[in-house]
């Protein structure tokens, strides 16, 4: 019997006591084995009420993400099955890269309660107080050429957007290329870092940061106009382990679609969830600025932008902001 099996059973019957005899019968183990696993769950921080002649009842869980609890919720075949949970790291990306270089399999996941050097796109830092958010990195080993790496960034955004929308009921949109927004404010960060060989990807470290149960007091004042947590947006707290399990399942399923059918299904989904398309925006690409109307994605994952003077420009990396409407531009 694994701890995850016992935890799942207790959670399924959370409002009632479950006798040691029933647990023993359902899981096919001895009463002694049940008692030992109960003690181990308590050592992990789970609060379990034990009453003679009634049995056991789960009444509380640890505030930190727990490996046993997370694995009991996973519905994936590979993603998250090789799991590394750390209290404090410099960056989950750094830890995952070390594991990848050591031969860790695809789907390996690193989660940390605190990052001392967590980072996002463009070298930005990521706010995530311990016990409030999700900071994790997932290992992919895709057999694709280097020039298709932008497709994986868009795939990650779609997976995160679809799973969080479903789990929270919030209307979440994707701002190019992979920022997730609720009412114009950012709720997550995505960072892909890759290692290459002979113009092909050896592996990709997908860093995902989700602002789950943060309060307004957790943000620097200057960020409150641009950032929000799921709890702040929905008015209720969320089970972080359940969210992680949902994200991993959606990601694994879409990744399988991508490997079997290519980028086209992902392109369609990204455009469906995008809040960037068909409106005039300002774009910063490199050191230059220009305005245009994003039309959609090309076959490689680049963003096609209609220019005011005519013509279409395809970009692969840019910062996007609002701009005043321009005359004679389709919107």
């Amino acid at each position: 019997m694994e701890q995850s099996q016992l935890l799942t059973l207790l959670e399924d019957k959370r409002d009632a006591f479950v006798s040691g005899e029933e647990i023993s019968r359902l899981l096919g183990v001895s009463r002694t084995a049940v008692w030992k696993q109960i003690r181990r769950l308590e050592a992990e921080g789970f609060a379990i009420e034990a009453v003679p002649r009634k049995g056991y009842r789960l009444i509380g869980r640890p505030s930190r993400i727990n490996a046993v609890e997370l694995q009991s919720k996973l519905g994936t075949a590979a993603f998250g099955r090789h799991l590394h949970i750390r209290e404090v790291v410099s960056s989950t990306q750094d830890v995952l890269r070390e594991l990848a270089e050591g031969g860790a399999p695809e789907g390996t996941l690193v989660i940390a309660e605190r990052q001392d050097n967590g980072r996002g796109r463009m070298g930005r830092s990521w706010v995530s107080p311990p016990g409030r958010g999700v900071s994790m990195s997932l290992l992919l080993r895709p057999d694709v050429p280097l020039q298709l790496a932008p497709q994986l960034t868009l795939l990650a955004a779609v997976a995160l957007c679809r799973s969080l929308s479903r789990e929270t009921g919030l209307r979440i949109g994707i701002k190019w290329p992979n920022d997730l927004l609720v009412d114009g404010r950012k709720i997550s960060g995505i960072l892909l870092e890759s290692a290459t060989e002979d113009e092909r990807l050896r592996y990709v470290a997908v860093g995902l940061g989700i602002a789950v149960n943060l309060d307004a007091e957790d943000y620097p004042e200057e960020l409150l106009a641009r950032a929000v947590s799921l709890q702040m947006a929905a008015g209720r707290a969320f089970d972080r382990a359940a969210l992680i399990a949902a994200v991993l399942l959606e990601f694994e399923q879409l990744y399988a679609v991508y490997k079997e059918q290519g980028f086209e299904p992902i392109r369609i989904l990204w455009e469906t969830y995008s809040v960037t398309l068909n409106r005039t925006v300002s774009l910063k690409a490199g050191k230059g600025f220009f305005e245009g109307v994003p039309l959609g994605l090309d076959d490689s994952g680049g963003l096609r932008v209609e220019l005011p003077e005519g013509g279409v420009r395809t970009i692969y990396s840019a910062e996007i902001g609002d701009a005043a409407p321009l005359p004679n531009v389709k919107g």
Side-chain angles (χ1 to χ4, degrees):
M1 174 182 63
E2 296 182 356
Q3 284 176 286
S4 59
Q5 293 176 297
L6 175 56
L7 183 59
T8 298
L9 177 59
L10 292 174
E11 287 189 325
D12 288 344
K13 300 177 178 291
R14 185 156 187 172
D15 294 330
F17 284 93
V18 189
S19 71
E21 181 179 358
E22 183 179 1
I23 296 173
S24 176
R25 177 178 59 81
L26 290 174
L27 299 183
V29 296
S30 68
R31 295 281 296 275
T32 301
V34 171
W35 182 84
K36 288 181 178 179
Q37 293 292 0
I38 290 288
R39 298 285 82 79
R40 289 174 181 171
L41 285 176
E42 289 177 329
E44 291 281 351
F46 292 92
I48 299 174
E49 184 179 7
V51 176
R53 292 186 294 278
K54 284 190 174 183
Y56 305 98
R57 182 174 64 162
L58 180 66
I59 59 175
R61 53 169 51 86
S63 59
R64 62 185 174 85
I65 297 170
N66 178 274
V68 175
E69 181 182 17
L70 176 54
Q71 290 182 329
S72 74
K73 298 178 185 297
L74 288 179
T76 55
F79 284 18
R81 293 297 177 178
H82 289 82
L83 179 62
H84 302 262
I85 297 182
R86 309 286 177 83
E87 285 293 325
V88 182
V89 297
S90 62
S91 164
T92 56
Q93 291 288 86
D94 295 340
V95 175
L96 187 66
R97 281 202 308 273
E98 291 181 10
L99 293 169
E101 294 292 348
E106 185 169 69
T108 295
L109 183 70
V110 175
I111 300 174
E113 286 292 354
R114 194 183 87 206
Q115 298 183 100
D116 289 338
N117 190 31
R119 58 189 181 273
R121 292 179 64 245
M122 309 294 182
R124 297 187 180 99
S125 60
W126 176 252
V127 177
S128 185
R132 304 290 189 91
V134 168
S135 298
M136 62 184 185
S137 293
L138 176 70
L139 178 62
L140 302 181
R141 293 189 180 277
D143 184 21
V144 297
L146 174 61
Q147 64 265 27
L148 297 185
Q151 296 180 348
L152 296 171
T153 297
L154 302 166
L155 168 59
V158 172
L160 198 56
C161 185
R162 281 168 61 88
S163 55
L164 293 183
S165 296
R166 185 169 53 247
E167 293 298 309
T168 66
L170 294 169
R171 295 187 63 181
I172 302 173
I174 306 173
K175 176 184 174 183
W176 167 264
N178 56 18
D179 284 348
L180 266 58
L181 306 181
V182 174
D183 294 328
R185 293 196 287 173
K186 186 173 178 177
I187 60 164
S188 75
I190 300 174
L191 174 67
L192 270 69
E193 297 176 317
S194 59
T196 63
E197 184 176 346
D198 297 328
E199 297 302 313
R200 297 191 72 83
L201 294 170
R202 288 177 50 225
Y203 65 82
V204 176
V206 183
L208 301 172
I210 309 170
V212 183
N213 294 325
L214 282 71
D215 298 317
E217 294 76 17
D218 293 315
Y219 290 95
E221 187 174 349
E222 64 272 15
L223 285 183
L224 281 175
R226 296 183 284 116
V228 70
S229 73
L230 297 176
Q231 175 176 277
M232 291 164 63
R236 62 188 177 95
F238 294 93
D239 180 336
R240 292 185 299 153
L243 288 181
I244 292 171
V247 169
L248 293 176
L249 181 59
E250 182 71 28
F251 205 148
E252 185 175 80
Q253 291 173 342
L254 286 179
Y255 186 57
V257 170
Y258 174 73
K259 290 194 292 185
E260 293 172 5
Q261 302 179 34
F263 180 61
E264 181 63 10
I266 308 305
R267 182 191 66 78
I268 293 171
L269 287 171
W270 188 93
E271 291 181 351
T272 299
Y273 287 100
S274 173
V275 298
T276 301
L277 303 183
N278 303 315
R279 64 187 183 90
T280 302
V281 298
S282 65
L283 301 100
K284 179 184 178 183
K287 295 182 179 180
F289 289 84
F290 67 99
E291 292 186 0
V293 178
L295 303 175
L297 303 176
D298 71 4
D299 292 340
S300 64
L303 183 66
R304 298 171 56 250
V305 181
E306 184 178 44
L307 303 175
E309 62 273 19
V312 175
R313 175 178 174 181
T314 300
I315 60 172
Y316 294 91
S317 178
E319 288 291 289
I320 291 183
D322 292 326
L326 295 173
N328 303 319
V329 176
K330 298 176 184 179

